[in-house]
Amino acid sequence: FDLRRRMVESGRIDVDELKLQLDHDDNEDILHALNPSLAIERLYERRGKMFGVLVCKVPDNSLYSDSSNLTSGDTVILKAYAGKLGGSWNLPGWSPIIGQVPESLPVFCRLRDEVTELFDRIDATKSNASPEDEKKKGSKENKVKHLTKKRARLATLALDEVRRHQLVTNFRGEALRPLTAVYTRGPTKVPGGTGDCAAPKLLAEAARLGLRPTGIAEIFVGATGGMSTGKGDGELYDACADRCEKIAGFMLCGLDDV
């Protein structure tokens, strides 16, 4: 299941979903309606992305086998991408985001808009201080400092709202828990982006479907360097230590025999 090779050869990130459509619908209409943001060249023009593949088995007495044409022992392959792809958190054929799409949460949207407004106010304050403000020593600096603190507080509240909906279980079938509760903190706080990588998406989806993982791989595809942190195109990588490894302990419980 060489995901990168098939994406590069086809020129499409959504290569599997496109093939399914072409097998069932009018080819010309589908090709005209292709999403340009899912062209493989986008990953090489701007910045690359991590992708993951999880190989699973359908266990005995699985609800998954009851709802599909698969039987016990059959192989199921799940795939996922880190963060957003083509501007979307969720795309057909890919393991979904853990929790809810942030933009679907009213509280998050309100806080996000307030944070955006504060960015604008801070920029305006820095560049358009009045003569009266300039006469008052530290007036502009104090106002910027106050707005920056308020922005940070609201951004934290927005992140907390997203995390409130990030619930995970494991392969023992334990009750859903927030990611923040299963994160093994150590000396650090839960970093932003925890749960958005490919690996936790794959494990969460396998647990939800009642599948039994047997192997996983994560690969970087696209432009390297800069904001892509120097990862190499076509290179395999372990799960990130500060995010994925900190929640993997709980999410993998129940796979002792794998």
Side-chain angles (χ1 to χ4, degrees):
F1 192 80
D2 191 342
L3 179 61
R4 177 187 174 278
R5 177 184 59 78
R6 291 185 296 103
M7 289 196 300
V8 171
E9 289 180 355
S10 68
R12 299 293 304 178
I13 300 172
D14 54 348
V15 53
D16 298 319
E17 294 69 43
L18 179 58
K19 184 179 184 302
L20 285 174
Q21 285 184 291
L22 292 174
D23 288 343
H24 294 90
D25 301 315
D26 184 85
N27 292 10
E28 187 173 347
D29 290 342
I30 292 172
L31 294 175
H32 279 305
L34 288 178
N35 183 347
S37 65
L38 297 181
I40 191 68
E41 63 190 32
R42 294 297 182 93
L43 297 178
Y44 290 92
E45 292 174 348
R46 301 175 183 179
R47 57 180 297 191
K49 181 171 288 293
M50 288 294 296
F51 292 85
V53 171
L54 185 70
V55 181
C56 305
K57 292 290 185 182
V58 178
D60 295 336
N61 302 319
S62 170
L63 294 177
Y64 187 83
S65 62
D66 293 339
S67 60
S68 68
N69 58 0
L70 298 174
T71 60
S72 175
D74 284 347
T75 297
V76 177
I77 298 177
L78 305 177
K79 59 182 184 177
Y81 52 84
K84 285 184 174 182
L85 184 60
S88 298
W89 288 107
N90 292 330
L91 287 171
W94 298 82
S95 297
I97 188 175
I98 295 177
Q100 301 294 319
V101 173
E103 291 78 10
S104 70
L105 303 173
V107 173
F108 170 83
C109 291
R110 174 177 58 79
L111 292 168
R112 176 203 58 194
D113 293 344
E114 291 181 24
V115 168
T116 300
E117 181 184 353
L118 284 170
F119 268 109
D120 295 337
R121 289 178 62 187
I122 290 169
D123 289 341
T125 301
K126 288 179 178 179
S127 58
N128 300 318
S130 66
E132 291 75 15
D133 288 337
E134 295 295 343
K135 292 177 183 178
K136 298 176 183 178
K137 186 177 180 180
S139 174
K140 181 169 72 172
E141 289 78 7
N142 287 336
K143 186 173 183 181
V144 168
K145 187 176 181 179
H146 170 73
L147 292 174
T148 300
K149 285 184 176 180
K150 183 176 181 181
R151 181 188 67 194
R153 180 176 60 82
L154 293 178
T156 299
L157 291 175
L159 180 58
D160 288 344
E161 174 64 10
V162 173
R163 286 179 171 160
R164 190 169 69 85
H165 296 271
Q166 289 182 309
L167 305 176
V168 293
T169 183
N170 54 31
F171 296 94
R172 287 179 182 163
E174 295 185 49
L176 290 170
R177 300 184 192 179
L179 278 183
T180 51
V182 305
Y183 184 90
T184 54
R185 285 178 177 76
T188 63
K189 295 181 180 179
V190 181
T194 300
D196 293 340
C197 294
K201 286 183 177 182
L202 290 167
L203 293 175
E205 182 69 351
R208 185 185 73 83
L209 294 174
L211 299 172
R212 194 95 176 151
T214 59
I216 188 171
E218 290 185 275
I219 189 170
F220 186 83
V221 181
T224 63
M227 293 183 69
S228 297
T229 65
K231 286 184 169 65
D233 179 39
E235 296 292 327
L236 298 171
Y237 291 92
D238 294 331
C240 55
D242 293 338
R243 294 178 176 85
C244 300
E245 289 185 8
K246 297 286 188 176
I247 58 177
F250 173 78
M251 297 186 74
L252 290 170
C253 284
L255 295 181
D256 300 336
D257 58 336
V258 175

